């Protein structure tokens, strides 16, 4: 009796829509308010990153990685540099490694704060957004102090970091960490355990662990589905193996494994873990140079390399094919948001329109990285 | 001659009310921006005029000067008519709100019923706007809005009914008169405190009223993160300003009605403090309620449409029904 | 002309004019919104007849309830394309003929019947408001009809839910 | 002076218009609107009689019952119309003849 259905309505969500987190277009097939199918159309932010990279020297590519995931540019810098260093088998000075972890974890917090704030906004709560920005501001102040930029840093370089930090700027971090932890509890009181918020997110948009793995979903989204996998623990790069921290996993206390609430909450837990790492970094940070000794022109040996790092959004991988010249032959980025987005269609079937924004927000996508 | 004079009289009253509503909306918009700013750790508007007090006037001028866009596919006649319908019906509510002993435009003997009747016309204006825009977002918003407002009118009416049962009159001034004793007196105290059931009725009224005026957590018709802007997606400039004006007028109206029904209206708060009698006391009480509405808006997330409906039909309506019976039993036993 | 007369003519013209629009417009949505105008002006006529409670009821139930239902029906059963109403020419002429004859007949009857018009101030002079009188008659003289009507409402409610429910069930099965 | 007859004439015009709609419209919802017009016409008459002839609220009582029944009727009618629409993709009463023997 399929012809008895009411008419399906096709609804164009985006590219200009308040809650698609960038320029994403989703074609919804609706039966009333129920979503029968949601087909994402991407590519509005395509900037030919991979093709550009073929015509640039290695250090010149780093600013382009800033613009992939512009919310967590430090992590992108780090991912690319670590890949080139792996190809060159370069030894990095201790202090530089610690600084890299410092900025990466701070940027992780900044990125998760943004995810938290915009998610509140997707749910109709406007205020948490500005609270999140208040804290993010401190982190950006620190970044400004160390590299002069607030969004696209170009701070992590091949062989180390661009500049050393002063003790005063490290004080900024210390002060921020002291302020920040109580604020996370404030956020939890304000939004995370709000009855209406729970109603909107618990049990909505469930991504099963099997589906998550088969779609290649990584990062917080994967851990929210109950899979214990964090590259910082399981495939440590930089000096992550020296720090003590837990990898938060989805809990069934309130939500179901893999629902929007867990995807949201995992980020709140991760911020606390990042604070733990940052405290250890500040305690252990050694003195020394911040740049490895190497030749000015970077020419990695012939060969290919694939290296993946854990960004706030998941597994960011770079594949580089080098022919020994100062420009790569081929660069390929593996974007965590892209795989998260590919799972979106399956998650969203049978939900309501309002849940679509809940799912997109909980996946925490950045279109700059999906489209590259 | 008689015709002319009464016509002029009516026009003067209407103009005075209109001016009042305009002024009110300007103040309320500014208040909302300031309240939200302080809640969000910012300072809000402060450039135009002292402490940004002229900001909304600047905004209003901006809205009036904007290009009046009517999309080609829209149904022109209804598109133009809809904002006026919404505004007029929310404006007409003010005719029966008692601001003071003699400050009521028309103290008709079915006052509260009139208010309910007039405010139900707003739904039609919203459907009209949504349909005439010929945009799917607007239509979805309008459908949601209609379903929401029609549903929440039931608990709203039931909670009002318990007040009417207690007072025995639909006239607004009679309702105020029944609570002239103030907050704590043994006789004629606020209906809110008259008995436990009316206490509950106030909250039922308040929740339903929030929904009727589309405020968070029930602001689904214009949920900006889902439906762009709901039924007024396609509106801009002047016409959008009318919707905006109507929203704030409505917010004040439901608070004023709540004050009149449950919190003693313009009659004093405490006996002895005569300066709180009349308009000042009324304004204070209404401001408190308006502040609570703003407070909720900047704190709470938004419900989903099916949850909104289940809140109404599964919880509010049954509770309101039993509450009404409770009020009746209370009157039978104690009065 | 007195105020009352002026207002009567205003609302009478509004009522009739919008009703004409209801039956002649080719757009269902226009018809529905004209119906709103008709209903509201009829409510105003009620007010002029000292039936204030009834006027409020008319607006609450007709405009706030029935008309919203009708509009939902219109929007669900017609896409933007077939919003146009067809009027069969074959029926137009007999229809208007019958209407005109009936109208002439009715008006003739209205003006020729010897109506027993009472002292018009009787209602106004009573102390009771109409609301009170209506309340008393509902729970007194008209108690039985009142109860029957409430049962009918319940039946209609269940019936309407049942009819529209059927379709939902079949979707679930398919 | 406005009297009973004025209201009766308005009622008569409303009634005829409603009947005209029911006779000529080929859309079930438009016909429903015609029926609403007819109901309003007789309500107007009832109220006018209650004001000028009986001078009590009996006419208004009848009008209230009519309004309530109109609400019930509209609910059921629209449910039926929607069901028919889903079945036949049309709400013209002429095409709804599957029950014909």
């Amino acid at each position: 009796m399929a012809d008895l259905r009411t008419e399906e309505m096709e609804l164009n969500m985006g590219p200009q829509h308040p809650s698609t987190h960038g320029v994403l277009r989703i074609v919804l097939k609706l039966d009333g308010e129920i979503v029968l199918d949601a087909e994402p159309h991407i590519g509005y932010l395509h900037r030919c990153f991979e093709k550009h990279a073929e015509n640039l020297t290695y250090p010149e590519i780093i600013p382009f990685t800033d613009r992939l995931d512009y919310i967590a540019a430090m992590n992108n810098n780090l991912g690319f540099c670590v890949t080139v260093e792996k190809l060159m088998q370069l030894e990095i000075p201790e202090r530089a490694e610690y600084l890299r972890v410092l900025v990466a974890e701070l940027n992780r917090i900044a990125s998760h704060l943004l995810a938290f704030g915009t998610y509140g906004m997707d749910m109709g709560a406007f205020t948490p957004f500005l609270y999140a920005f208040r804290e993010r501001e401190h982190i950006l102040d620190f970044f400004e102090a160390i590299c002069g930029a607030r969004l696209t840093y170009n701070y992590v370089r091949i062989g180390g970091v661009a500049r050393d930090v002063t003790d005063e700027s490290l004080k900024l971090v210390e002060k921020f960490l002291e302020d920040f932890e109580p604020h996370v509890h404030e956020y939890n009181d304000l939004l995370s355990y709000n009855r209406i918020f729970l109603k909107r997110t618990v049990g909505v948009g469930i991504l099963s662990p099997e589906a998550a793995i088969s779609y290649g979903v990584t990062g917080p989204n994967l851990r929210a589905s109950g899979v214990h996998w964090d590259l910082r623990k399981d495939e440590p790069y930089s000096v992550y193996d020296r720090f003590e921290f837990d990898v938060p996993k989805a809990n069934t206390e309130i939500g179901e494994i893999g629902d929007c609430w867990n995807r949201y909450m995992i980020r709140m837990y991760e911020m606390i873990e990042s604070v733990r790492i940052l405290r250890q970094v500040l305690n252990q940070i050694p003195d020394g140079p911040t740049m490895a000794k190497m030749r000015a022109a970077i020419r990695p040996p012939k060969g290919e390399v694939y290296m993946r790092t854990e960004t706030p959004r998941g597994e960011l991988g770079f594949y580089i094919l080098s022919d020994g010249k100062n420009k790569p032959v081929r660069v390929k980025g593996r974007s965590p948001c892209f795989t998260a987005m590919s799972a979106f269609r399956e998650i969203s079937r049978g939900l309501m329109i309002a849940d679509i924004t809940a799912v997109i927000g909980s996946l925490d996508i950045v279109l700059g990285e999906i489209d590259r | 001659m008689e015709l002319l004079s009464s016509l002029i009289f009516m026009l003067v009253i209407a103009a005075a009310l209109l001016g009042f509503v305009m002024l009110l909306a300007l103040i309320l918009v500014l208040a909302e921006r300031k309240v939200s700013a302080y809640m969000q750790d910012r300072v809000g508007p402060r450039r135009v005029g002292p402490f940004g007090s002229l900001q909304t006037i600047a905004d209003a001028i901006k809205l009036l000067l904007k290009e009046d866009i009517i999309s080609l596919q829209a149904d022109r006649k209804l598109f133009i008519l809809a904002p006026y319908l919404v505004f007029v019906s929310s404006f007409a509510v003010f005719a029966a709100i008692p601001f003071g002993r003699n400050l009521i435009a028309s103290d008709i003997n079915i006052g509260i019923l009139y208010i309910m009747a007039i405010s139900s016309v707003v739904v039609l204006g919203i459907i009209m706007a949504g349909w005439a825009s010929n945009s799917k977002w607007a239509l979805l918003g309008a459908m949601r809005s209609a379903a929401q407002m029609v549903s929440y009118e039931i608990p709203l009416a039931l909670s009002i009914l318990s007040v009417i049962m207690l007072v025995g009159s639909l006239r607004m001034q009679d309702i105020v008169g029944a609570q002239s004793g103030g907050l704590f007196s043994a006789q004629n105290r606020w209906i809110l405190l008259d008995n436990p059931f009316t206490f509950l009725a106030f909250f039922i009224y308040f929740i339903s009223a929030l929904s009727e005026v589309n405020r968070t957590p029930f602001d689904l018709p214009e949920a900006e993160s889902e439906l762009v802007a709901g039924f007024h997606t396609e509106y801009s400039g002047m016409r959008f300003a009318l919707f905006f004006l109507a929203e704030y007028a409505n917010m004040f109206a439901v608070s004023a009605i709540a004050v009149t029904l449950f919190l003693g209206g313009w009659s004093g708060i405490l006996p002895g403090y005569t300066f709180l009698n009349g308009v000042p006391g009324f304004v204070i009480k209404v401001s408190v309620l308006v502040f609570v509405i703003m407070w909720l808006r900047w704190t709470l997330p938004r419900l989903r449409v099916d949850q909104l409906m289940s809140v109404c039909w599964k919880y509010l309506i049954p509770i309101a029904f039993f509450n009404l019976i409770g009020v009746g039993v209370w009157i039978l036993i104690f009065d | 002309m007195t105020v009352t007369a002026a207002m009567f003519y205003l609302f009478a013209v509004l009522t009739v004019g919008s009703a004409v629009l209801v039956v002649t417009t080719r757009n269902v949505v226009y018809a529905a919104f004209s119906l709103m105008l008709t209903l509201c002006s009829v409510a105003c006529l009620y007010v002029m007849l000292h039936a204030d409670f009834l006027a409020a009821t008319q607006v609450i139930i007709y405009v706030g309830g029935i008309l919203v239902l009708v509009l939902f029906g219109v929007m669900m059963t017609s896409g933007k394309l077939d919003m146009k109403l067809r009027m069969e020419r074959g029926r137009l002429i007999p229809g208007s003929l019958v209407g005109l004859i009936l109208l002439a007949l009715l008006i003739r009857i209205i003006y020729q019947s010897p109506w027993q018009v009472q002292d018009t101030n009787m209602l106004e002079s009573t102390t009771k408001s109409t609301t009170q009188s209506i309340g008393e008659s509902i729970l007194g003289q008209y108690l039985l009809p009142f109860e029957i009507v409430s049962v009918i409402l319940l039946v209609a409610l269940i019936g309407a839910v049942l009819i529209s429910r059927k379709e939902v069930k079949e979707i679930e099965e398919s | 002076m406005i009297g009973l007859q004025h209201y009766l004439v308005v009622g008569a015009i409303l009634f005829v218009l409603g009947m005209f709609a029911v006779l000529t419209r080929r859309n079930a919802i438009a016909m429903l609107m015609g029926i609403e017009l007819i109901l309003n016409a007789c309500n107007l008459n009832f109220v006018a009689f209650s004001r000028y002839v009986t001078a009590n609220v009996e006419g208004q009582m009848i009008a209230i019952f009519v309004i309530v029944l109109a609400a019930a009727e509209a609910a059921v009618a629209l449910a039926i119309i929607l069901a028919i629409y889903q079945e036949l993709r049309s709400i013209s009463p002429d095409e709804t003849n599957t029950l014909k023997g």
Side-chain angles (χ1 to χ4, degrees), chain B residues 33-80:
Chain B
R33 296 182 66 166
K34 279 290 186 187
V35 166
S36 69
Y38 285 119
M39 281 181 184
Q40 294 166 350
D41 220 10
R42 6 178 225 120
V43 287
R46 53 189 279 260
R47 297 273 168 170
V48 192
F51 303 105
S53 54
L54 301 178
Q55 180 68 47
T56 39
I57 295 174
D59 285 350
I61 293 170
K62 179 202 79 179
L63 278 175
L64 293 182
L65 295 180
K66 266 177 105 170
E67 187 191 350
D68 180 26
I69 301 168
I70 300 179
S71 92
L72 265 181
Q73 297 291 308
D75 190 315
R76 276 190 80 90
K77 286 176 217 152
L78 294 184
F79 189 83
I80 291 168

Side-chain angles (χ1 to χ4, degrees), chain B residues 14 23 34-35 41 104 122 164 172 179 186 189 194 231 246 277 324 332:
Chain B
L23 190 69
K34 279 290 186 187
V35 166
D41 220 10
I104 179 166
V122 176
I164 296 170
M172 295 301 262
Q179 342 178 31
R189 56 175 174 239
D194 190 88
F231 62 90
N277 284 353
L324 189 64
L332 262 185

Side-chain angles (χ1 to χ4, degrees), chain B residues 8-164:
Chain B
I8 290 172
F9 180 66
M10 284 193 276
L11 277 179
V12 166
I13 291 188
L17 260 185
L18 189 64
F20 172 73
V21 172
M22 296 277 186
L23 190 69
L24 193 71
L26 288 182
I27 295 170
L28 284 178
V29 171
L30 183 72
E32 170 115 61
R33 296 182 66 166
K34 279 290 186 187
V35 166
S36 69
Y38 285 119
M39 281 181 184
Q40 294 166 350
D41 220 10
R42 6 178 225 120
V43 287
R46 53 189 279 260
R47 297 273 168 170
V48 192
F51 303 105
S53 54
L54 301 178
Q55 180 68 47
T56 39
I57 295 174
D59 285 350
I61 293 170
K62 179 202 79 179
L63 278 175
L64 293 182
L65 295 180
K66 266 177 105 170
E67 187 191 350
D68 180 26
I69 301 168
I70 300 179
S71 92
L72 265 181
Q73 297 291 308
D75 190 315
R76 276 190 80 90
K77 286 176 217 152
L78 294 184
F79 189 83
I80 291 168
L81 193 61
Y84 295 103
L85 187 63
V86 170
F87 176 70
V88 166
S89 45
S90 47
F91 164 62
V93 168
F94 281 78
I97 292 178
F99 294 91
R101 188 174 304 277
N102 294 313
L103 269 177
I104 179 166
S106 162
D107 190 20
I108 42 180
N109 57 3
I110 51 158
I112 186 68
L113 207 59
Y114 160 82
I115 288 175
M116 291 199 55
I118 287 293
S119 54
S120 67
V121 178
V122 176
V123 187
L124 283 177
I126 287 175
I127 296 183
M128 195 190 263
W131 187 82
S133 300
N134 198 5
S135 147
K136 286 168 184 171
W137 295 112
L139 190 62
L140 268 175
M143 290 294 226
R144 278 183 175 189
S145 176
Q148 172 181 343
M149 289 169 103
V150 169
S151 310
Y152 274 87
E153 226 159 67
I154 301 168
L156 191 81
L158 289 173
S159 58
I160 290 177
L161 212 53
S162 52
V163 176
I164 296 170

Side-chain angles (χ1 to χ4, degrees), chain A residues 9-13 17-19 30 32-33 121-127 130-131 134 190-191 194 196-197 199-200 204 352-355 357, chain B residues 36 38-42 136-137 139-140 144 216-217 219-220 224-229 297-307 310 315:
Chain A
M9 181 158 99
E10 221 169 73
L11 189 62
N12 217 343
M13 190 167 175
H17 186 275
S19 59
L30 297 175
E33 289 246 356
M121 219 146 83
D122 288 343
M123 296 288 134
F126 199 87
T127 306
L130 285 133
Y131 282 20
R134 181 184 62 193
L190 184 64
L191 189 64
N194 181 305
I196 297 174
F197 185 73
K199 278 251 176 207
R200 285 295 305 277
V204 170
M352 306 186 81
I353 300 178
D355 296 331
T357 57
Chain B
S36 69
Y38 285 119
M39 281 181 184
Q40 294 166 350
D41 220 10
R42 6 178 225 120
K136 286 168 184 171
W137 295 112
L139 190 62
L140 268 175
R144 278 183 175 189
T216 312
D219 62 339
L220 288 113
E224 79 277 358
S225 62
E226 299 152 27
L227 298 185
V228 190
R297 161 145 188 208
W298 298 108
T299 314
L300 292 177
R302 172 188 312 122
L303 281 168
R304 204 170 58 205
V305 65
D306 57 326
Q307 292 161 350
S310 75
Y315 300 99

Side-chain angles (χ1 to χ4, degrees), chain C residues 57-122:
Chain C
T57 315
Q58 163 103 353
V59 176
I60 292 177
I61 297 180
Y62 255 117
V63 178
I66 297 177
L67 205 57
V68 172
L69 258 181
V70 168
L71 276 168
F72 263 72
V74 169
M75 288 172 188
M76 281 174 177
T77 53
S78 38
K80 193 78 187 169
L81 294 172
D82 50 301
M83 212 41 109
K84 292 277 173 281
L85 287 172
R86 279 172 300 139
M87 233 191 277
E88 259 173 48
R89 288 194 186 279
R91 306 222 186 177
L92 200 60
I93 294 152
S96 37
L97 259 180
V98 170
L100 283 175
I101 292 169
L102 192 65
L103 184 63
L105 212 64
L106 282 175
I107 290 177
R108 195 185 144 85
I109 294 170
I110 289 168
Y111 278 100
Q112 288 197 341
S113 304
W115 301 107
Q116 307 281 316
V117 177
Q118 303 251 344
D119 176 18
T120 52
N121 287 326
M122 203 149 153

